[in-house]
Amino acid sequence: CISSAASHVYKRQVFMFDNLNQRLIPLTRMLRRKEVLHLTGIGQSHMYQLISDGKFPRPVPLEGKTVGWVDTEIQQWIEYQIEKRDRS
């Protein structure tokens, strides 16, 4: 039985507590393009260019022509951009 009331945030990752196994389970969301663009602050054509260059997470096919991005991969990309800035 997984407790939906007991969720925890650790390093920007959300976890749900599994009462049966007494452990935290990471909750991963699929983000749609509009939300990815909003979170990253980049434009659509730039995002697709970065994907082509292998510098941005690739979308995951969901159903038909619908795609989504894994939230943790987008968050890692954002954090990497911050690390690059801080190293400069």
Side-chain angles (χ1 to χ4, degrees):
C1 171
I2 297 175
S3 168
S4 59
S7 62
H8 308 276
V9 177
Y10 176 72
K11 289 191 177 184
R12 299 181 200 177
Q13 172 69 41
V14 178
F15 293 85
M16 182 179 290
F17 189 73
D18 177 352
N19 286 323
L20 182 63
N21 297 309
Q22 296 294 302
R23 64 187 178 106
L24 292 175
I25 301 170
L27 297 178
T28 302
R29 288 183 53 226
M30 297 302 290
L31 306 175
R32 299 298 303 276
R33 179 180 43 86
K34 192 173 186 177
E35 189 172 4
V36 171
L37 296 175
H38 176 75
L39 288 170
T40 60
I42 62 176
Q44 180 175 320
S45 60
H46 184 61
M47 178 184 73
Y48 284 111
Q49 183 61 54
L50 290 172
I51 291 169
S52 292
D53 295 343
K55 297 178 179 180
F56 194 82
R58 294 174 46 216
V60 176
L62 298 176
E63 184 69 33
K65 294 182 179 181
T66 305
V67 297
W69 283 260
V70 179
D71 64 343
T72 54
E73 292 177 0
I74 299 302
Q75 188 60 46
Q76 289 170 353
W77 183 87
I78 292 169
E79 290 172 4
Y80 178 69
Q81 300 310 305
I82 294 168
E83 289 172 12
K84 283 193 328 188
R85 178 206 60 194
D86 292 347
R87 282 186 294 213
S88 300

